[in-house]
């Protein structure tokens, strides 16, 4: 079982930056692909970024490429999402998610087995 707790969200002006963190509990974190998703009011949850268990591979939605960076520290059981050059359309609740052991990164929410409670990111214009 994996429990995930996000932090680092907040209110920021357009062009600003935040660093989101997702702390995991459980023994399997270092063997789990991780993803960040977001959900804006009235919209479906969408894939933002993903990272393989070894951190060798990262994936990004086209809308965030060049602005967001996903990373992980397996010793600290934490995955990060550095969000730069924020835009008002980035406003959403950001969720961290984990897949079960040894599975590859996926871009669909239904492929993930464990979810955090989310952290709100609000970007003002």
């Amino acid at each position: 079982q994996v429990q995930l707790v996000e932090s680092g969200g907040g209110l920021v002006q357009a062009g600003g930056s935040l660093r989101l963190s997702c702390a995991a509990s459980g023994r399997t974190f270092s063997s789990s692909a991780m993803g960040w998703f977001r959900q804006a009011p009235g919209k479906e949850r969408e894939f933002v970024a993903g990272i393989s268990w070894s951190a060798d591979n990262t994936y990004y939605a086209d809308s965030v490429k060049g602005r967001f960076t996903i990373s992980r520290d397996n010793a600290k059981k934490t995955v990060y999402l550095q969000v730069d050059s924020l835009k008002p359309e980035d406003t959403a609740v950001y969720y961290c998610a984990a897949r079960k052991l040894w599975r590859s990164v996926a871009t669909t929410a239904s492929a993930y087995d464990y979810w955090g409670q989310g952290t709100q990111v609000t970007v003002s214009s």
Side-chain angles (χ1 to χ4, degrees), residues 10-99:
L11 173 62
V12 63
Q13 289 187 334
S17 298
L18 289 170
R19 190 191 196 200
L20 308 184
S21 298
C22 172
S25 65
R27 297 178 296 169
T28 61
F29 175 81
S30 61
S31 306
S32 299
M34 301 294 295
W36 284 96
F37 289 75
R38 66 186 181 186
Q39 188 166 18
K43 294 188 177 182
E44 292 188 354
R45 193 168 296 189
E46 65 173 356
F47 173 79
V48 174
I51 188 167
S52 61
W53 62 269
S54 63
D56 287 346
N57 297 297
T58 57
Y59 305 84
Y60 298 93
D62 288 343
S63 59
V64 307
K65 278 181 183 175
R67 300 188 298 121
F68 290 11
T69 304
I70 189 171
S71 62
R72 67 188 297 160
D73 185 334
N74 284 344
K76 294 183 178 180
K77 294 186 179 180
T78 302
V79 62
Y80 304 97
L81 186 68
Q82 178 69 36
V83 296
D84 299 319
S85 302
L86 282 163
K87 305 175 181 180
E89 52 263 43
D90 294 318
T91 295
V93 177
Y94 283 70
Y95 296 91
C96 172
R99 299 201 73 189

